[in-house]
Amino acid sequence: MGLLDRDYMRRSPPLGGGPRWQRYLWIAAIVVGLASASLYLYKNFRAELLPGEGDLIVNVNNATLAELETIPGIGPVLSRGIIKYRPYARVEELERVPGIGRYTLNEIRAYVKVQGETVRR
């Protein structure tokens, strides 16, 4: 009995021969691994370049529409309302804006201010 006649030498390599389902399983595992790694890298890259939701402490008296939309829970309509009812002496005055009540104000309080510059958290 020679060395190549042994059972472990006759088995096919994972991506070489063997059952078709086994090859597809290996390919699927590689594709899923690469996709998840690229998604992870994309999220980190995007987070460093663009301010995301909640990344800024926004001065509501001089913020742009895009900066106001980074506040969690504030969309384009509320952003336009905040700009319409400017200026604000206190954060509590944001309740003048239709659609912002006590609950919404308490949710966004950590992300807004009325004096100083807009800063990154």
Side-chain angles (χ1 to χ4, degrees):
M1 188 158 147
L3 183 63
L4 296 177
D5 292 334
R6 299 189 186 248
D7 187 39
Y8 63 86
M9 295 299 286
R10 282 191 231 159
R11 290 191 194 135
S12 60
L15 292 177
R20 182 175 285 173
W21 64 269
Q22 192 176 26
R23 282 184 268 163
Y24 291 142
L25 188 63
W26 275 101
I27 292 170
I30 291 169
V31 167
V32 167
L34 289 174
S36 62
S38 62
L39 181 64
Y40 175 77
L41 290 173
Y42 170 74
K43 283 183 179 180
N44 285 345
F45 180 71
R46 184 172 178 252
E48 290 177 12
L49 288 183
L50 301 173
E53 190 171 295
D55 286 347
L56 299 175
I57 299 176
V58 178
N59 181 344
V60 292
N61 285 323
N62 60 10
T64 64
L65 192 66
E67 288 174 339
L68 289 170
E69 289 179 13
T70 64
I71 301 170
I74 302 296
V77 173
L78 287 178
S79 296
R80 286 191 293 271
I82 291 171
I83 291 172
K84 180 179 176 182
Y85 288 95
R86 285 180 182 168
Y88 303 99
R90 299 176 315 161
V91 173
E92 290 77 20
E93 292 180 10
L94 284 170
E95 288 186 25
R96 294 186 306 197
V97 178
I100 297 180
R102 283 189 190 144
Y103 178 78
T104 305
L105 183 62
N106 286 334
E107 292 293 316
I108 67 172
R109 189 178 297 275
Y111 304 101
V112 296
K113 62 183 182 175
V114 293
Q115 294 178 347
E117 294 296 317
T118 298
V119 293
R120 196 173 260 269
R121 291 185 143 255

